[in-house]
Amino acid sequence: AGGGGGGGSQWWTEGDEPMYYIVSPRDIVLARPRGPDDRIQWLLENKKFEEALSVLETSEGKNLKDSTMEQIGFNYLTHLFEVKDFAKAAALCPKLLFQKTALWERWVLEFAKVQQLALLCRYIPTGSPRLRQAVYDMVLKIFLQSDHENFLYLVRRWPAEIYGMREITDSLLAYEARSAASGTLREALAELYILQDRKDMALGIFLQLQRPEVFDFIARNGLLPSVRDKVVLMMELDSGKSIDLLVEGRDLITPPMVVSQLKEAEGARGKAGDKFRMFLHQYLHQLFERDPDLGAQCDLHGMQVELYAEYDPKLLMNFLATSSSYPLEVAYAVCREKSLYQELVFVLGRMGNASQGVSILVQKLGDIQGAIQFVQSQRDDELWEQLVEMSLASPRLIGTLLENLGSAQLDASRVLKRIPLGMPIPQLRDRLIKVLEESRTQASLIQGANEILIRDRASLLQRLHREARRAVPRERVAVGKK
């Protein structure tokens, strides 16, 4: 026994606790101070679990026996199961199971029995402690059958080495074979393929699921060759990014590969396939801007004439002028069908039928200025005669021709002499004044050019004379004799 102390404080040292023996004729009672384990035992017997947990988290908890600590967890979790407060039980597991593998594995099974793994899965440890592979596999297989969202979450979060990746993949494929897999399961399968370095398989799933990040995935992993047969899926997801990718990788996925898939999709989907024809135009246009010769080598420029006429008529003229690899007959038929007269005139010029081109410009469009430019580009004097003859049929046309004689560099008398007497030409006075001024200017320019030519000729003659009068070195003469 020992002496007393004041204030109720502990006056003995740990390991040297006082003990009292109370002896009676029948019993001997041993009395000693209560310790933390005794206190916990009393709290548990009286279902004061929160207080027991509070003791566990204080400095007193450090002195508890392992068995006492485990008893707290077992009793508290059992109680929560009895009252069906599974969410709280799951949240307390990290505190009550003390990083002990056996305890975790036991309670994972308990949660599985009551079908409440969804509440626990985000607390299951993967490193400290690390459970047996069979436990992780069991959780994943349960979620595969019942909770696809959590299955995907765990596949993304759990390290690949803690569960049987191939076994889980095979289970997922077997499940998919029996019943239609959800988009979530398909995404989980793609994640499993990535973990197994089968990125091409994952890519196909991402495209089927229409995931926008698939383009970054392709570029990051160099998977463009893997989408050779998936052009339609890519276009449906994002035509702009797809076209950029396909044009950039035109050596890996050639234009004929792209064109054949888009045309097949266009034909197979009826009216809904019209969008693939638009995609085809956009792809070929961008390809032409990047590499004008490649489309020609693949015999695609004839198709492009039709596509430009259908979707971007304003860009057709530039294409016709830049390319020389489209069939002229096709271009003629398309431009005529679509009433694209300016483009039709250009094609006629290339076909050698410039006379018809002049007729279209004058009679269909009334574009004398355009006709003048066209005739100038053809350098054919007969076309000038045709233009003047056709212009004489209308006062408005002949007036416009008179106004543009300067730019045409056409002899004014050639036109004026053929105008019928009495033809009422609008603004004739002003137009004649302009013709005379342009004629004077042209005559002045010709005179100036002649004067310059005469001076240059005289200067060059004098220079030739001086060169001819110079002596020839003897050495050069000797070499010449040899």
Side-chain angles (χ1 to χ4, degrees):
S9 62
Q10 179 175 317
W11 50 266
W12 61 85
T13 60
E14 296 294 337
D16 189 24
E17 295 87 354
M19 292 188 298
Y20 298 89
Y21 295 93
I22 303 171
V23 180
S24 70
R26 291 186 178 181
D27 300 298
I28 299 176
V29 179
L30 173 62
R32 58 185 175 189
R34 283 184 176 273
D37 293 283
D38 297 320
R39 183 182 178 192
I40 292 295
Q41 190 64 35
W42 184 85
L43 291 171
L44 293 177
E45 289 173 358
N46 290 275
K47 298 187 181 298
K48 297 181 180 296
F49 302 109
E50 293 288 349
E51 293 182 36
L53 184 58
S54 299
V55 173
L56 183 63
E57 293 173 341
T58 63
S59 57
E60 278 189 274
K62 297 178 181 178
N63 299 320
L64 291 175
K65 298 175 182 177
D66 286 349
S67 59
T68 303
M69 296 170 65
E70 292 180 13
Q71 191 66 31
I72 296 173
F74 177 79
N75 286 19
Y76 198 178
L77 291 175
T78 300
H79 168 71
L80 291 173
F81 265 59
E82 290 173 353
V83 298
K84 300 188 183 305
D85 194 350
F86 302 111
K88 187 173 183 179
L92 287 174
C93 278
K95 287 183 179 180
L96 297 176
L97 302 182
F98 313 108
Q99 297 185 345
K100 293 188 176 182
T101 302
L103 294 179
W104 270 105
E105 291 181 353
R106 174 181 178 177
W107 284 100
V108 167
L109 290 173
E110 294 297 328
F111 274 88
K113 289 177 184 177
V114 294
Q115 300 180 354
Q116 296 296 327
L117 275 176
L119 296 172
L120 181 67
C121 66
R122 298 179 186 238
Y123 301 105
I124 297 175
T126 58
S128 180
R130 177 169 168 177
L131 313 184
R132 288 176 298 158
Q133 178 181 312
V135 176
Y136 297 115
D137 288 352
M138 178 198 71
V139 174
L140 287 171
K141 288 178 181 178
I142 290 174
F143 284 152
L144 174 60
Q145 300 295 329
S146 61
D147 190 339
H148 297 168
E149 293 293 337
N150 274 320
F151 181 83
L152 174 61
Y153 170 81
L154 294 181
V155 166
R156 285 175 169 170
R157 178 177 175 271
W158 280 359
E161 63 271 11
I162 69 173
Y163 60 91
M165 245 192 322
R166 291 193 178 277
E167 183 181 347
I168 296 301
T169 303
D170 292 341
S171 298
L172 199 161
L173 291 171
Y175 178 88
E176 191 178 46
R178 292 192 305 270
S179 57
S182 63
T184 304
L185 269 190
R186 297 287 295 161
E187 193 165 350
L189 180 58
E191 296 290 343
L192 287 169
Y193 281 142
I194 291 172
L195 292 172
Q196 297 171 60
D197 202 27
R198 299 166 69 184
K199 296 185 176 67
D200 55 331
M201 301 291 289
L203 173 60
I205 294 173
F206 286 146
L207 281 172
Q208 290 172 358
L209 295 175
Q210 297 284 279
R211 291 288 185 266
E213 62 274 12
V214 71
F215 297 99
D216 293 333
F217 184 73
I218 293 171
R220 189 169 59 250
N221 295 287
L223 293 173
L224 192 58
S226 300
V227 294
R228 281 195 178 97
D229 58 343
K230 298 177 177 65
V231 170
V232 172
L233 286 173
M234 291 171 61
M235 288 290 192
E236 286 182 314
L237 177 55
D238 190 322
S239 61
K241 289 183 178 179
S242 298
I243 291 170
D244 290 341
L245 203 61
L246 292 168
V247 171
E248 190 67 31
R250 55 192 177 277
D251 295 333
L252 297 172
I253 303 180
T254 62
M257 293 180 184
V258 177
V259 170
S260 64
Q261 291 180 58
L262 292 179
K263 286 185 72 66
E264 184 179 349
E266 177 193 351
R269 305 198 185 186
K271 193 169 183 179
D274 290 347
K275 65 178 180 181
F276 294 104
R277 185 168 176 81
M278 169 64 86
F279 295 157
L280 178 59
H281 162 65
Q282 293 169 343
Y283 166 72
L284 290 176
H285 170 63
Q286 193 163 323
L287 181 68
F288 178 73
E289 289 191 328
R290 182 71 64 88
D291 190 346
D293 297 327
L294 186 56
Q297 294 167 11
C298 301
D299 295 328
L300 299 174
H301 282 192
M303 182 191 304
Q304 276 191 268
V305 172
E306 299 177 22
L307 293 170
Y308 275 120
E310 187 173 347
Y311 295 107
D312 272 320
K314 293 180 180 178
L315 299 177
L316 178 57
M317 180 62 83
N318 177 65
F319 177 77
L320 294 173
T322 305
S323 172
S324 58
S325 302
Y326 51 87
L328 292 173
E329 296 79 7
V330 171
Y332 173 80
V334 169
C335 293
R336 186 173 180 179
E337 181 186 352
K338 299 288 185 181
S339 300
L340 299 172
Y341 293 115
Q342 295 288 354
E343 292 78 5
L344 180 59
V345 168
F346 180 84
V347 173
L348 286 168
R350 279 201 166 179
M351 295 176 75
N353 193 359
S355 176
Q356 187 179 349
V358 174
S359 299
I360 291 173
L361 285 168
V362 176
Q363 295 175 349
K364 288 276 188 184
L365 303 180
D367 184 4
I368 295 294
Q369 192 167 4
I372 290 172
Q373 293 174 356
F374 179 69
V375 171
Q376 284 177 329
S377 68
Q378 298 299 311
R379 299 180 181 179
D380 185 345
D381 195 57
E382 291 183 4
L383 293 178
W384 285 117
E385 284 296 324
Q386 179 186 350
L387 176 59
V388 172
E389 189 66 33
M390 296 179 71
S391 299
L392 291 171
S394 164
R396 182 184 64 82
L397 293 178
I398 194 65
T400 306
L401 180 60
L402 288 172
E403 193 169 349
N404 290 277
L405 281 177
S407 62
Q409 296 180 352
L410 184 64
D411 185 3
S413 61
R414 188 174 178 178
V415 179
L416 293 172
K417 289 178 181 179
R418 299 174 64 176
I419 298 176
L421 292 175
M423 176 179 279
I425 300 173
Q427 301 175 357
L428 177 60
R429 178 176 175 276
D430 295 337
R431 285 170 170 169
L432 286 175
I433 291 173
K434 184 178 179 182
V435 168
L436 292 173
E437 288 176 349
E438 288 174 346
S439 297
R440 289 196 196 100
T441 302
Q442 190 172 5
S444 176
L445 288 173
I446 292 173
Q447 182 180 354
N450 285 334
E451 290 175 356
I452 293 171
L453 180 61
I454 291 170
R455 285 197 298 270
D456 285 349
R457 184 173 62 182
S459 174
L460 290 172
L461 184 60
Q462 291 173 359
R463 180 179 174 185
L464 177 62
H465 185 256
R466 284 196 303 271
E467 290 290 334
R469 292 178 60 190
R470 290 178 61 185
V472 179
R474 184 174 180 182
E475 294 79 1
R476 191 179 300 173
V477 174
V479 170
K481 286 180 178 180
K482 287 182 181 181

